[in-house]
Amino acid sequence: MRKLSLDNLNKFFAAVAESKTIYLPVDQKDGSAKYAKWAEGTEWSNALNTVRSPKDLFFPQTEDLMEFKTEGKNIEIIDIRKESEDFVIFGVRACDVKSFEVLDRVFLSEPVDSFYASRREHAIIVALACTRPSETCFCTTFGIDATEPAGDVSAWKTDSALYLKANTEKGEAFLKSIEALTEDADTAEVDAQKTKTAEIMKKLPLADLTTDAFGGGKTEELWNNPVWDEMSQTCLGCGTCTFVCPTCQCYDIKDFNTGNGVIRYRCWDSCMYSEFTRMAHGNNRLSQKERFRQRFMHKLVYYPENNEGLFSCVGCGRCLAKCPISMNIVKVMKKIGGDK
Amino acid sequence: MQKITRDQLITKAVELLSNGTVSAVLGWKKGEFDYDITPAVFTTEEEINNGFVYNDFCGANFSKYLVAKTKKLEGKILVFLKPCDSYSFNQLLTEHRFDREKVYAVGIGCEGMADVVKLKNKVDGIVSIDYNDDGMYVDTLYDGTVKVDYAEVMAERCINCKSKKCVAYDELLGEDGEVIDSARFDEVASLEAMTPDERFAFWQGELSRCIRCNACRDACPACTCEKCVFDNPGSGVENKAPVTSFEEQMFHIIRAFHVAGRCTDCGECSRVCPQNIPLHLLNRKFIKDMNECYGEYQAGAEVGSRAPLVDYTEGDLEPGEVFERGENDA
Ligand code: SF4
Ligand code: SF4
Ligand code: SF4
Ligand code: SF4
Ligand code: SF4
């Protein structure tokens, strides 16, 4: 394990930034945090997590795919892909690191999404252990250890230092590149922090939430549950839950007429929207109940069914904090699981 | 803290359900942490006793739900209206958006609601909340029990409440209040005092956080088009995500203009925004301008009133004068 004195933090960012773009959580004007590029003077946020998840850096909200130019009867197809360069995402929480695995299984399975794949290959993820989880956190439900985040490098922040441990070759190369700023360290301080955080994790209000009622093969059992009617009654269909969710992965591909050609782009879509997966005959989910059911069944039943039991929720709590009507996956899991 | 209690509302709801006046109740349902309350439809006494709550986090405005619920449900639906909700209720009636006969409205006084974002910025790890006369006692994960004054966490829209008067109801619980001479236009005035460049920078900064989730539109009681132009693939402006920041601003400006004169200044748009964008200021500016140019007008104050923008009186400002105002602003 290596240790970086917090006094050297800015030197560390500067050293990394010399060769790579580095994204890290920074405070926004309204008090919340977002991922932003580091530049001289940028302050690393203390926030537990960002409103928008770091998935944006692999799967941006909008992205141009290709361009068509027409001249007479000729159509020229232009590849407008920009080459990715190496970049670092710093300070990613354990839940969000896990979300990359959920996304990988979608975008990196055949046919591989080359836009996503290129960014994934070029990214170095420096993950940060949590010490002050929020009441809305329930990563443990999905077997995620907030004190030992995955990623290319795991990091622990104490009052005076940042401890760093490489988990992958990429991570090792990264630590090597900043070796001059760090020193060898034992794990005593990190171990103490982990024990302390683990105690807090046990006391979180959602600590006893289980996935017992869910998983692959449950479609028939859960499909007609009256809970869907009841809980979707006041859902606005706004899609906030899907846009802040680190694992939501649906997108739409659209053409934009530029006047003398067409730009084909993709943008996030939401199963909560009336225009989602619209086909020639219209939308196959006509009511908000059906759309609402889709979101939770996808995360808790369909996805695990196709991915060896892996759920596509990581317990980050963003939807709990941001839904305008405070409806969320925890309420659904408890209601169906019979907890309340 | 609210003077109206949960028990009062439950008693009223159960009474109206059991005597057959209504067949369903729109109310607030308890959540996991006492602040995460969900609007819900209750149809039995048992459901009400188990889940109905009322406290300082019951800010959601139910009026818009009536558009869909009155179409769907048999019989009447009971709705509780805080003063600001009652303006939205009237405005929806003015626009013939639901059948008044299918609603039983109970007006309830309001002491001002809390803003969960303000609370969370103050207190970490909220486990539960107790409401006492002298403040909220918040049980936390890290700092034991923390006392928070109601005033410290009151929502902006409630600090600048325009009226404590319920303008629509079949029955009123508690005492009715008065229209208030509030300071709600002060922030608009400070925006007006900026140079155009500063103002542009202000809005660009705020709107740059927008994730285009549409929560502002979906919660707004004035946004009740069956098919929003931004959801309609045939409209040519449909988009699920802004391609450029210009487009993002267009969304907000178009929405603001579309509800101009109909916006009651209920504040729902800003309350629901996950990025805390002060959207209500856009229409508050319009309201201020309309008041100055065409005389005081409050949307939803009564049913059937004509908004200045769709009305003509001889005293109306001439187009040239409007143009000059714009010139002076620029
Ligand atoms: S669950 Fe909440 S955030 Fe999601 S669409 Fe419904 S109202 Fe919006
Ligand atoms: S469903 Fe909610 S808690 Fe789960 S990963 Fe998505 S935003 Fe986080
Ligand atoms: S859900 Fe877990 S990993 Fe994510 S921020 Fe909370 S404690 Fe950390
Ligand atoms: S609620 Fe906020 S983030 Fe969502 S579309 Fe409206 S302004 Fe944008
Ligand atoms: S624009 Fe905002 S303040 Fe005006 S009616 Fe709609 S939600 Fe209320």
Side-chain angles (χ1 to χ4, degrees):
Chain A
M1 184 157 313
R2 303 289 292 179
K3 180 176 170 179
L4 172 88
S5 160
L6 288 186
D7 298 334
N8 280 337
L9 198 61
N10 274 319
K11 272 192 206 148
F12 158 73
F13 288 138
V16 178
E18 264 177 35
S19 60
K20 301 173 189 70
T21 307
I22 170 163
Y23 296 92
L24 79 176
V26 300
D27 287 331
Q28 307 191 87
K29 193 179 149 205
D30 70 325
S32 63
K34 67 163 182 185
Y35 279 90
K37 265 187 204 163
W38 183 88
E40 198 57 55
T42 304
E43 293 255 354
W44 179 21
S45 166
N46 278 322
L48 177 67
N49 223 333
T50 50
V51 177
R52 294 171 71 136
S53 86
K55 88 171 169 192
D56 296 34
L57 295 165
F58 299 126
F59 172 41
Q61 186 161 15
T62 62
E63 148 172 55
D64 292 341
L65 302 179
M66 60 178 96
E67 201 175 332
F68 305 93
K69 279 234 157 67
T70 46
E71 241 187 81
K73 283 195 170 166
N74 294 330
I75 297 184
E76 189 190 350
I77 301 174
I78 306 163
D79 189 350
I80 45 178
R81 208 174 316 212
K82 288 186 210 88
E83 254 325 298
S84 279
E85 287 170 358
D86 285 353
F87 64 99
V88 177
I89 317 181
F90 180 87
V92 184
R93 298 296 182 178
C95 50
D96 288 346
V97 176
K98 186 75 177 179
S99 78
F100 302 151
E101 185 187 333
V102 174
L103 298 176
D104 283 353
R105 283 169 176 262
V106 176
F107 290 106
L108 300 183
S109 51
E110 284 301 326
V112 172
D113 185 304
S114 54
F115 293 83
Y116 178 90
S118 152
R119 294 197 190 93
R120 276 299 264 135
E121 274 160 28
H122 285 92
I124 299 161
I125 294 156
V126 181
L128 180 73
C130 299
T131 54
R132 266 173 90 90
S134 158
E135 72 274 11
T136 50
C137 293
F138 57 110
C139 51
T140 42
T141 299
F142 300 102
I144 299 164
D145 185 352
T147 70
E148 185 76 57
D152 297 306
V153 174
S154 307
W156 292 264
K157 188 182 175 202
T158 65
D159 289 340
S160 60
L162 189 70
Y163 288 85
L164 299 154
K165 189 185 83 181
N167 304 320
T168 63
E169 270 175 34
K170 253 194 221 173
E172 268 163 29
F174 177 75
L175 288 194
K176 190 112 195 108
S177 72
I178 49 148
E179 207 168 20
L181 290 168
T182 60
E183 56 186 271
D184 259 323
D186 64 29
T187 60
E189 250 199 309
V190 167
D191 292 339
Q193 185 196 76
K194 283 199 219 169
T195 314
K196 206 172 147 205
T197 312
E199 282 307 310
I200 302 171
M201 297 301 301
K202 274 189 224 151
K203 280 189 253 157
L204 291 182
L206 303 178
D208 54 0
L209 182 70
T210 75
T211 53
D212 295 351
F214 305 94
K218 296 271 187 185
T219 305
E220 267 180 55
E221 185 188 327
L222 298 178
W223 184 260
N224 284 321
N225 196 315
V227 162
W228 304 122
D229 282 296
E230 189 192 319
M231 301 197 98
S232 65
Q233 283 264 17
T234 55
C235 170
L236 301 171
C238 64
T240 305
C241 48
T242 54
F243 281 10
V244 297
C245 179
T247 67
C248 274
Q249 57 214 224
C250 292
Y251 58 83
D252 193 7
I253 294 181
K254 296 168 102 34
D255 286 346
F256 178 74
N257 186 344
T258 61
N260 64 347
V262 165
I263 292 182
R264 179 158 296 172
Y265 70 100
R266 75 161 147 207
C267 60
W268 292 352
D269 204 345
S270 170
C271 53
M272 289 296 197
Y273 289 166
S274 59
E275 293 309 311
F276 183 70
T277 60
R278 192 165 176 271
M279 300 173 209
H281 74 284
N283 192 325
N284 54 356
R285 295 186 199 97
L286 294 174
S287 66
Q288 197 54 35
K289 167 194 155 180
E290 292 165 291
R291 296 174 201 137
F292 184 91
R293 176 173 60 197
Q294 163 63 23
R295 177 158 198 272
F296 299 105
M297 288 289 273
H298 183 208
K299 295 208 173 307
L300 300 168
V301 179
Y302 312 149
Y303 189 96
E305 186 157 313
N306 297 325
N307 293 281
E308 293 91 40
L310 181 71
F311 289 96
S312 62
C313 169
V314 294
C316 73
R318 285 185 176 86
C319 59
L320 276 69
K322 293 301 179 187
C323 168
I325 62 155
S326 292
M327 177 46 70
N328 55 60
I329 195 161
V330 167
K331 288 185 177 175
V332 169
M333 286 169 80
K334 285 200 167 183
K335 187 91 194 182
I336 290 183
D339 187 79
K340 269 193 185 161
Chain B
M1 193 176 67
Q2 302 306 315
K3 283 193 190 139
I4 298 277
T5 64
R6 165 179 183 262
D7 289 347
Q8 265 177 294
L9 298 184
I10 289 188
T11 310
K12 181 51 67 189
V14 170
E15 173 200 318
L16 291 167
L17 256 187
S18 43
N19 72 17
T21 309
V22 300
S23 59
V25 178
L26 254 174
W28 297 270
K29 192 164 188 168
K30 76 164 182 241
E32 298 292 321
F33 318 105
D34 290 333
Y35 62 74
D36 57 334
I37 285 157
T38 302
V41 179
F42 299 85
T43 51
T44 66
E45 186 174 342
E46 197 197 341
E47 280 171 11
I48 291 176
N49 286 326
N50 289 339
F52 193 106
V53 282
Y54 190 63
N55 62 32
D56 282 53
F57 292 95
C58 292
N61 179 344
F62 289 161
S63 301
K64 184 176 181 177
Y65 282 123
L66 295 172
V67 177
K69 298 299 170 207
T70 51
K71 278 193 198 128
K72 212 169 130 192
L73 293 164
E74 293 288 327
K76 281 196 185 200
I77 186 163
L78 166 62
V79 66
F80 294 106
L81 300 175
K82 303 186 290 294
C84 56
D85 308 343
S86 69
Y87 285 81
S88 309
F89 183 92
N90 272 350
Q91 185 60 30
L92 286 162
L93 282 175
T94 300
E95 296 169 15
H96 309 284
R97 303 300 288 125
F98 67 86
D99 181 358
R100 180 68 180 86
E101 292 303 308
K102 294 195 76 178
V103 180
Y104 191 89
V106 172
I108 51 178
C110 176
E111 307 306 310
M113 289 288 161
D115 178 344
V116 65
V117 177
K118 280 192 183 175
L119 179 65
K120 284 192 171 187
N121 284 343
K122 278 194 142 354
V123 199
D124 246 3
I126 302 167
V127 179
S128 63
I129 304 169
D130 251 343
Y131 304 87
N132 287 310
D133 288 343
D134 60 340
M136 291 179 201
Y137 287 72
V138 185
D139 193 15
T140 71
L141 285 168
Y142 300 105
D143 309 302
T145 304
V146 180
K147 189 190 146 208
V148 179
D149 289 342
Y150 291 108
E152 286 178 89
V153 292
M154 191 174 283
E156 187 279 343
R157 61 175 171 166
C158 301
I159 294 173
N160 289 315
C161 179
K162 63 184 178 289
S163 169
K164 296 274 184 205
K165 185 178 163 69
C166 280
V167 291
Y169 53 80
D170 293 303
E171 181 179 345
L172 188 70
L173 283 182
E175 278 165 42
D176 206 1
E178 297 288 326
V179 173
I180 302 171
D181 193 12
S182 79
R184 65 178 167 141
F185 295 121
D186 288 4
E187 209 177 340
V188 176
S190 65
L191 283 176
E192 286 171 345
M194 289 179 179
T195 66
D197 286 345
E198 286 167 348
R199 202 158 48 232
F200 188 75
F202 169 84
W203 280 112
Q204 202 167 38
E206 294 292 341
L207 295 178
S208 67
R209 293 199 303 277
C210 176
I211 57 173
R212 193 54 190 280
C213 61
N214 292 323
C216 48
R217 177 199 69 184
D218 292 335
C220 173
C223 275
T224 57
C225 295
E226 302 255 323
K227 185 94 192 160
C228 174
V229 65
F230 294 107
D231 283 347
N232 181 354
S235 71
V237 296
E238 180 241 11
N239 56 4
K240 289 166 178 162
V243 176
T244 61
S245 62
F246 173 73
E247 221 177 324
E248 190 48 65
Q249 290 155 17
M250 287 313 286
F251 167 69
H252 292 291
I253 291 168
I254 291 172
R255 205 185 81 76
F257 272 98
H258 197 190
V259 300
R262 307 189 295 120
C263 165
T264 63
D265 202 4
C266 72
E268 282 290 271
C269 46
S270 297
R271 179 183 71 85
V272 300
C273 176
Q275 292 281 36
N276 306 321
I277 299 170
L279 293 157
H280 65 281
L281 289 175
L282 289 171
N283 265 278
R284 212 174 256 178
K285 161 71 176 157
F286 289 172
I287 295 171
K288 183 169 179 282
D289 280 353
M290 282 185 278
N291 283 349
E292 286 166 7
C293 297
Y294 304 104
E296 296 273 321
Y297 176 78
Q298 171 60 52
E302 66 252 356
V303 180
S305 66
R306 283 186 76 83
L309 298 181
V310 291
D311 202 15
Y312 172 76
T313 64
E314 281 184 358
D316 279 357
L317 225 57
E318 295 298 330
E321 292 173 79
V322 178
F323 187 72
E324 268 165 39
R325 266 177 71 96
E327 287 284 280
N328 294 340
D329 264 356

